Amino acid sequence: MVDITRRLGLRHLRGAPTAHIRHHRSGTLVHDGPGLSFWFRPLTAALSEVPVDDRELAMTFHARTSDFQDVSVQATVTYRVADPAVAAARLDFSVDPDTGAWRGTPLEQLGTLLTETAQQHALDVLARTPLSAALADGVAAVRQRIATGLAAEPRLPATGIEIVAVRVMALRPEPEVERALRTPAREQIQQEADRATYERRAVAVERERTIAENELASRIELARREEQLVEQRGTNARREAEEQAAADAVRARAEAERSVLQAEAEAARSVKLAEAEAERSMRLADAEAARSRTLAGAEAATSRQLAEAEAERTELLADAEAARAVRAARAEAEGARELGGAQAEARAAWLRVHADAGVDGTGTLQALTAIRLAENLPRIDSVTVSPDVLTGLLARLAPGAGG
């Protein structure tokens, strides 16, 4: 698609390097070539744009083999327009002077022409080939037949088309047929896998047997060595016991000799200690006797002095106690004399008072007697008068009250 720009009723066209532009003005070719750029009047111009680059045309179609099996073919044809003038004359490559777009569909026409031509040659070769051969060598045969057929097709040069390359990517049968064809190969592969598995298992079993035999031989060797080890340990134990017994005997003899020597030394030491202890005891006894004599003399002198001091102190205490007793007796006698005089004076005064009051002397003596008795009687907290006593007293008082 070319770029067209509008300016004041004119149009400016700018083409791409891969596009061949043909410009006719009133039937006359004015511009012709790729990558052009020019001004033109839209009312008098006829424009054509022919692509000259290589183009890929992918196609997929179905065919039938000689054994009536459907297959699908995937191919790609690379082509280009070798003669733009012829192509523009045979196909409608004209463009709109206002938009620059093709008025028709020239590339679709080319695609249809190439697809139908290639499909015709592919169907021709596959119709004479069985399915197995088609799947094995059909890709190369189909590619070669399509390339040869397109090169020999007279319509393509007449249209200015040149075939660059032909590629056939795949040739596949129907899915059910393809699964059926895969089954034998799959079974063979599975058989090979099973065989490999069995062989691997057999090798593993053989290796396990070898390992088990090696382990058994190792265990036998270990048992034999353990037996030797036990015998050697017994021998070593007996030797060690014998050496231990000899060592114990030597140790016992040495211990006995050492005990005898210790006993002798202990006896000698005991004798020496006893002699030293006896000598020390004698010295201590002599010293104790001397000390006892000295202490006895000192104790006698001290006792004598203490007895003398005690006698003197007792004598002094007795004198002091006698003097104190005399003083106390004198003081008590003086106090008793004074108290008796005071009491006598008090009684005399009391008698005088009663005598002055005209009281009978007998009654006064009775009252004094009652007072003395009351002073010597114990303290009476309460007095209980029974009705019998009260009745007798009232009976005795009644005649006096009546007289």
Side-chain angles (χ1 to χ4, degrees):
M1 180 177 178
V2 297
D3 294 334
I4 295 178
T5 307
R6 299 180 182 184
R7 291 291 187 276
L8 300 176
L10 297 177
R11 303 289 186 273
H12 181 272
L13 182 144
R14 184 179 61 185
T18 58
H20 189 93
I21 306 299
R22 292 176 61 85
H23 175 208
H24 292 79
R25 181 189 301 151
S26 299
T28 303
L29 183 62
V30 180
H31 298 93
D32 186 13
L36 298 180
S37 178
F38 54 87
W39 292 89
F40 65 93
R41 294 180 181 275
L43 297 179
T44 60
L47 302 175
S48 297
E49 179 188 8
V50 181
V52 294
D53 57 339
D54 291 348
R55 291 185 172 266
E56 301 284 342
L57 177 62
M59 59 187 71
T60 300
F61 53 89
H62 292 274
R64 180 171 293 182
T65 61
S66 61
D67 49 1
F68 304 102
Q69 299 295 326
D70 290 337
V71 294
S72 60
V73 181
Q74 295 180 0
T76 300
V77 176
T78 303
Y79 70 95
R80 68 170 175 265
V81 179
D83 192 348
V86 176
R90 298 295 298 272
L91 298 174
D92 185 11
F93 283 97
S94 62
V95 298
D96 190 342
D98 291 329
T99 61
W102 279 316
R103 295 179 183 273
T105 56
L107 295 181
E108 292 182 3
Q109 294 178 5
L110 283 176
T112 301
L113 174 63
L114 292 173
T115 301
E116 290 178 353
T117 304
Q119 184 175 359
Q120 177 183 355
H121 294 291
L123 293 176
D124 187 23
V125 69
L126 289 174
R128 296 192 299 272
T129 305
L131 178 62
S132 58
L135 294 178
D137 303 324
V139 173
V142 171
R143 181 176 65 250
Q144 182 65 30
R145 183 59 182 272
I146 291 175
T148 302
L150 290 177
E153 181 67 29
R155 188 179 175 184
L156 296 180
T159 314
I161 304 301
E162 180 183 356
I163 301 301
V164 178
V166 176
R167 299 188 302 279
V168 177
M169 279 75 69
L171 197 153
R172 299 173 64 91
E174 293 294 325
E176 295 81 2
V177 177
E178 186 175 6
R179 284 194 295 272
L181 292 174
R182 286 178 180 177
T183 300
R186 186 177 300 169
E187 291 295 332
Q188 185 177 359
I189 293 172
Q190 186 65 35
Q191 291 176 3
E192 294 293 334
D194 294 341
R195 186 180 302 108
T197 301
Y198 297 149
E199 292 177 356
R200 185 171 63 254
R201 290 180 179 177
V203 172
V205 170
E206 182 65 23
R207 290 180 179 177
E208 289 179 358
R209 184 180 63 80
T210 304
I211 292 172
E213 291 178 354
N214 294 333
E215 289 181 352
L216 181 59
S218 299
R219 290 179 181 177
I220 294 173
E221 182 65 21
L222 287 175
R224 186 178 62 81
R225 293 189 178 183
E226 285 180 358
E227 183 179 0
Q228 294 177 356
L229 179 61
V230 169
E231 293 178 357
Q232 186 64 34
R233 285 180 178 175
T235 303
N236 294 337
R238 286 193 300 273
R239 185 177 301 171
E240 184 177 358
E242 292 175 357
E243 292 179 355
Q244 185 67 29
D248 291 340
V250 172
R251 190 180 301 109
R253 287 195 298 270
E255 185 69 23
E257 293 176 358
R258 186 175 63 84
S259 300
V260 171
L261 293 176
Q262 286 182 354
E264 293 177 354
E266 184 68 24
R269 188 173 63 85
S270 298
V271 170
K272 291 180 180 180
L273 288 177
E275 292 176 355
E277 183 68 23
E279 185 178 357
R280 187 175 64 83
S281 298
M282 291 176 63
R283 291 178 182 177
L284 288 176
D286 294 340
E288 185 67 23
R291 188 175 65 83
S292 297
R293 287 193 298 271
T294 303
L295 289 176
E299 183 69 24
T302 303
S303 298
R304 188 172 53 254
Q305 293 175 0
L306 290 175
E308 293 175 357
E310 183 66 24
E312 185 178 357
R313 187 176 68 82
T314 303
E315 185 179 357
L316 292 175
L317 289 176
D319 295 341
E321 184 65 25
R324 186 178 63 78
V326 171
R327 288 194 298 270
R330 289 177 182 175
E332 185 177 355
E334 185 67 26
R337 188 174 57 252
E338 293 178 359
L339 180 61
Q343 288 179 353
E345 291 178 359
R347 288 191 186 97
W350 185 68
L351 290 174
R352 283 194 300 271
V353 171
H354 284 77
D356 294 340
V359 179
D360 188 7
T362 303
T364 301
L365 291 176
Q366 293 178 352
L368 287 174
T369 302
I371 290 171
R372 297 295 287 179
L373 289 174
E375 289 178 355
N376 294 322
L377 287 177
R379 182 179 176 182
I380 299 174
D381 293 331
S382 62
V383 177
T384 301
V385 179
S386 63
D388 296 336
V389 176
L390 184 59
T391 303
L393 290 176
L394 292 176
R396 268 190 270 171
L397 292 174

